[in-house]
Amino acid sequence: MTAGLRSVRGVAHAPGRLTRLLILGGVGLVFAVPILAMIEFTLRRGLVGGYDFQRWIELFQNGLTGEYAPVLVALGNSVGLAVGTVVIVLVLLVPTMLLVHIRFPRLRRTLEIVCILPISIPAIVLVVGLAPVFSVLARFAGSGVWTLAFAYGITVLPFAYRAIHANLDGVDVRTLSEAARTLGAGWASVLVRVLVPNLRRGILAGAFIAVAVVLGEFTIASLLSRVNLQTALVVVSKNDPYSAVILSLLALFAAFLLLLAIGRLGTERRRPARTPTTLTPTTPTSGGDQS
């Protein structure tokens, strides 16, 4: 009786096909309307009226040279910062979270507070605290744009932590690690071959969020006088707002391809399982009945 009530309740609360379509359609409109508005803005002919591709053609005919050349350099900087930030955050965060869950479970609350804290600190306050650190870092390692990866690592830390933590709660990492250790695996092998594959979804979700935050970040780079994609687009928009919007669309497409490439890294190629064929033994039939 109880199982029947649970199944009825589960069916009653399950969203129907129409509800799912409406939700997906609403989410799609949230993303599609701004992009379509940007495309429409770049195709306007001004006071003349109508639409054409003249601005797109002129931008590509010039080969993104002249005043638009720094945008390509800034795009390369942002992509490099995104990759560097993902590597820094995951290399430091994933082993630390696993160590706390396996060896020091009492420190889970402390680790969560430390990781979530940067989301409550405004970017301008964070820059004020990081400026002396960057001045010391510039004396020993230079002041290149790559140094922003450390600041971005702090910025994306809360998002990456929540994504990995949600996956970590559904995996019994202690049992998996003890079983692997019992079979003779070292801690490095346990981490790389046992625990990380089981946390693949959370790690990829954290990487997605980190890439999205880094490619759209402006405040920290501007206050620290570093050149990334957003600061370069602001400079271009002061002279030609139409070209800035076109370049923003191209950057959005490039970010989508990057996220798609990261997603493909975590997909498993599963071969369809073959149905085993059972051979039924045939019993020879005798010519006559035996009495």
Side-chain angles (χ1 to χ4, degrees):
M1 184 66 179
T2 306
L5 291 175
R6 290 178 180 176
S7 61
V8 172
R9 290 177 181 177
V11 174
H13 289 286
R17 182 177 181 181
L18 180 60
T19 304
R20 293 195 297 267
L21 291 176
L22 290 176
I23 294 174
L24 292 176
V27 174
L29 287 176
V30 171
F31 289 97
V33 170
I35 295 176
L36 293 177
M38 293 171 67
I39 296 175
E40 188 272 340
F41 176 76
T42 60
L43 300 178
R44 292 179 187 176
R45 297 178 58 187
L47 299 177
V48 179
Y51 299 95
D52 57 21
F53 291 90
Q54 186 63 31
R55 295 188 181 91
W56 288 77
I57 295 173
E58 291 178 355
L59 184 63
F60 285 105
Q61 280 181 346
N62 295 330
L64 294 178
T65 57
E67 60 180 346
Y68 306 121
V71 177
L72 293 178
V73 178
L75 178 60
N77 292 340
S78 293
V79 172
L81 286 172
V83 175
T85 302
V86 169
V87 172
I88 291 174
V89 170
L90 296 183
V91 168
L92 295 179
L93 184 61
V94 174
T96 302
M97 293 181 65
L98 291 173
L99 181 63
V100 169
H101 274 70
I102 296 173
R103 289 295 187 88
F104 309 102
R106 295 183 179 180
L107 296 179
R108 292 182 184 180
R109 189 64 178 174
T110 304
L111 179 64
E112 182 178 2
I113 294 175
V114 172
C115 292
I116 300 298
L117 185 61
I119 200 173
S120 62
I121 303 176
I124 189 170
V125 177
L126 189 62
V127 171
V128 172
L130 289 175
V133 178
F134 273 82
S135 63
V136 176
L137 182 62
R139 299 175 185 175
F140 297 97
S143 58
V145 69
W146 62 270
T147 56
L148 280 179
F150 299 103
Y152 289 161
I154 299 175
T155 304
V156 305
L157 186 61
F159 310 103
Y161 174 82
R162 295 306 305 173
I164 299 173
H165 186 269
N167 193 184
L168 192 59
D169 285 341
V171 179
D172 192 354
V173 293
R174 178 174 295 180
T175 302
L176 290 175
S177 61
E178 290 178 355
R181 291 286 293 171
T182 303
L183 295 175
W187 282 112
S189 181
V190 171
L191 177 63
V192 176
R193 302 180 61 181
V194 178
L195 299 181
V196 170
N198 285 278
L199 300 176
R200 184 181 63 256
R201 292 184 179 180
I203 292 173
L204 287 177
F208 287 159
I209 299 174
V211 171
V213 171
V214 172
L215 293 180
E217 204 285 322
F218 170 78
T219 306
I220 297 177
S222 178
L223 294 176
L224 292 177
S225 301
R226 302 296 194 277
V227 178
N228 67 351
L229 180 60
Q230 299 303 321
T231 57
L233 290 178
V234 170
V235 174
V236 173
S237 65
K238 295 179 180 180
N239 299 325
D240 189 356
Y242 296 100
S243 297
V245 175
I246 294 174
L247 294 173
S248 298
L249 288 171
L250 296 177
L252 184 63
F253 180 70
F256 173 76
L257 292 180
L258 180 61
L259 293 177
L260 186 63
I262 295 176
R264 291 290 296 176
L265 293 176
T267 56
E268 292 182 350
R269 297 181 179 180
R270 295 181 179 179
R271 297 180 179 179
R274 296 182 179 179
T275 304
T277 58
T278 57
L279 299 177
T280 304
T282 57
T283 57
T285 57
S286 59
D289 296 333
Q290 297 179 355
S291 56

